[in-house]
Amino acid sequence: MRENLDKQFSFTSLKWYNFFLYGTVVLFTSFFPLYLQEVGMNKLEIGSLMSVGALVSIIANPFWGIWTDRYQNIRRIVLLMLTGTLVLSQVVFQANTYEMIYVSILFFYFFQGPLFAESNTMILSYIDGTRHRFSSFRLWGSLGWAFTAILAGPVIDWGGVSVLSYLFAALLCAAMISLIVLPRLDHSIGIAPLPFKGFGQIFYHPFFLSFIFFGILVSIPNTMNNTFVSLYITELGGSKTMIGLAVFLSSILEVAVLLLCERYLKRSIPVLLGWLALVSALFVLRWWLMADSTTPLQVAFIQILHCVTFGGFFFVGTRLTMLLVPKPYRSSGQALYTLTWSGLSGIMGGVLGGWLYQYLGAQSMYQSSVFMTLIGTLGFGAMWLLVSRGGYHPHGGHPDEELEDI
């Protein structure tokens, strides 16, 4: 009986950990650009600085993966990463020169960037062999993201952007406390930290590389929006509270979309490619509406489309990677997909978006997003048409064959 109570307490602490972790990250992604603008940075400098995280993650993810694999105590590794994130975040907020901000943000991203991946592995390790599903813990993360954003907006409106450092530290400390009370794991289900051995083989699959290329075209505008939507809202006269509302609306239904996709979307290449083309078309609509927006409230409500566009694209992209790549190289395929979605697209989106916003304005940035996403949409549509007409067979299989092992 006592053991069952301890386990239940552990699972509750894990849910709160995810809540606080996602809340911490949304503070940084949604409100930190406002802080940078207040200290005098222009849009290009802000975009370049925010894109550094994607560049650092290319090194940081395998680094922490190796140490997790060697040390076999993922909870302590995550605690170390949280501690580094806390200390370096305060260094970033206290930095009084641009050079100091750039140097400290590099080290900050080294600890913060891989937190989601390591935390997901930790949660999966804790629930391994139990009746608990990862989706319930992911739901708490989305709730933390949504409610932290909508509650932080009025607080920042009242106290100014300078209170961001205190909010960030408070949520990080809460996440660390939720983690400290957990028992030590006696096993880990962590994946190999360097799943790149199959990269050479993947480049012999032009259909998958086309999928990656069109995915980059769709994901770059998404990075632009994530980086600059808060600045766009303030430029239109919106408050920090309005920014919080926009983030809340963009994420509150995300898990529901993922669960519906999980339950009802057939896992075959034609169906998934058709859905990917549809979701990409919704991205086109979203950026077109953003380019034509004239009030901050319009921008806030347009963010509701994020639940469908990002949620659907993330789900389908992951599943298609598993179907399009031969089984021995699936981990490499997932690594390449993640590298392009959050890495390469993050770097290009931050720099390109910052340049467009700085020199041509927000409307031009979103109009360029419409153009890029439209090309990606047409590309996915052509891939769907090719598969539907029997012109492509994935590594000796049949395109209608469903994926059973994920």
Side-chain angles (χ1 to χ4, degrees):
M1 181 67 177
R2 175 66 182 173
E3 184 179 350
N4 290 335
L5 286 174
D6 287 342
K7 285 184 177 180
Q8 188 59 45
F9 181 70
S10 297
F11 295 133
T12 302
S13 296
L14 271 178
K15 290 175 180 178
W16 279 112
Y17 166 76
N18 236 24
F19 183 95
F20 293 127
L21 175 65
Y22 277 73
T24 301
V25 175
V26 75
L27 285 178
F28 194 80
T29 57
S30 300
F31 295 101
F32 187 60
L34 299 174
Y35 172 81
L36 295 176
Q37 182 173 255
E38 189 169 280
V39 299
M41 285 191 171
N42 62 36
K43 308 299 190 305
L44 179 56
E45 290 170 333
I46 293 171
S48 301
L49 187 68
M50 298 297 284
S51 70
V52 166
L55 183 63
V56 173
S57 67
I58 297 174
I59 302 171
N61 276 296
F63 173 86
W64 290 110
I66 289 171
W67 277 103
T68 300
D69 186 55
R70 287 183 180 178
Y71 197 53
Q72 287 300 305
N73 190 338
I74 190 169
R75 182 178 69 98
R76 188 166 294 180
I77 292 292
V78 174
L79 272 172
L80 176 62
M81 295 169 70
L82 288 170
T83 303
T85 301
L86 174 61
V87 172
L88 288 160
S89 67
Q90 300 310 302
V91 174
V92 171
F93 284 115
Q94 298 302 319
N96 51 19
T97 65
Y98 287 170
E99 291 78 9
M100 188 63 182
I101 291 177
Y102 273 100
V103 171
S104 56
I105 205 75
L106 280 170
F107 289 99
F108 167 83
Y109 277 127
F110 187 79
F111 285 90
Q112 186 269 337
L115 263 176
F116 277 156
E118 290 293 312
S119 297
N120 289 344
T121 301
M122 181 184 67
I123 292 170
L124 288 168
S125 298
Y126 270 105
I127 66 176
D128 186 37
T130 73
R131 58 181 177 82
H132 292 271
R133 296 176 63 89
F134 179 77
S135 57
S136 64
F137 297 89
R138 179 65 176 81
L139 172 62
W140 276 71
S142 290
L143 292 175
W145 184 283
F147 284 103
T148 298
I150 201 168
L151 293 174
V155 174
I156 296 173
D157 257 334
W158 168 76
V161 182
S162 59
V163 305
L164 190 59
S165 63
Y166 302 108
L167 295 175
F168 198 80
L171 284 176
L172 267 177
C173 289
M176 293 170 72
I177 292 171
S178 301
L179 207 56
I180 288 171
V181 300
L182 292 172
R184 174 172 176 168
L185 277 170
D186 57 2
H187 71 289
S188 174
I189 62 167
I191 59 173
L194 293 170
F196 304 120
K197 293 182 178 178
F199 269 14
Q201 294 296 325
I202 289 174
F203 284 101
Y204 289 101
H205 295 79
F207 196 83
F208 177 68
L209 293 180
S210 299
F211 158 73
I212 290 292
F213 173 72
F214 295 130
I216 291 174
L217 292 179
V218 174
S219 58
I220 287 175
N222 188 63
T223 300
M224 291 182 186
N225 180 74
N226 290 342
T227 305
F228 297 107
V229 66
S230 58
L231 301 182
Y232 188 36
I233 289 174
T234 56
E235 191 174 279
L236 293 174
S239 62
K240 312 300 187 299
T241 301
M242 186 63 68
I243 294 171
L245 175 63
V247 177
F248 176 84
L249 292 174
S250 73
S251 56
I252 192 62
L253 297 177
E254 183 182 309
V255 170
V257 171
L258 290 172
L259 291 175
L260 287 172
C261 289
E262 180 77 38
R263 182 164 185 176
Y264 295 110
L265 205 57
K266 184 181 177 183
R267 301 176 191 181
S268 67
I269 292 178
V271 172
L272 292 176
L273 274 175
W275 176 253
L276 200 61
L278 177 61
V279 168
S280 299
L282 288 176
F283 265 123
V284 174
L285 173 63
R286 183 181 169 192
W287 307 142
W288 178 72
L289 291 173
M290 289 289 285
D292 280 355
S293 297
T294 55
T295 68
L297 191 60
Q298 283 179 310
V299 173
F301 279 106
I302 291 168
Q303 302 313 303
I304 296 175
L305 283 171
H306 178 83
C307 301
V308 179
T309 50
F310 177 77
F313 197 95
F314 178 80
F315 175 90
V316 173
T318 303
R319 296 315 189 265
L320 267 174
T321 299
M322 300 293 281
L323 280 167
L324 295 176
V325 178
K327 194 169 184 177
Y329 311 116
R330 280 179 181 172
S331 61
S332 297
Q334 289 292 352
L336 181 60
Y337 176 71
T338 303
L339 185 65
T340 53
W341 169 262
S342 61
L344 183 61
S345 299
I347 297 168
M348 296 176 65
V351 176
L352 178 60
W355 187 89
L356 289 169
Y357 201 155
Q358 178 68 28
Y359 296 108
L360 300 178
Q363 268 81 16
S364 294
M365 182 184 73
Y366 282 112
Q367 287 166 358
S368 300
S369 297
V370 170
F371 177 73
M372 274 189 287
T373 309
L374 182 60
I375 296 175
T377 303
L378 294 174
F380 287 134
M383 293 177 71
W384 170 80
L385 195 62
L386 178 65
V387 171
S388 299
R389 293 182 174 179
Y392 171 74
H393 299 282
H395 44 87
H398 191 275
D400 284 318
E401 178 183 355
E402 290 197 44
L403 190 62
E404 300 292 344
D405 57 343
I406 60 171

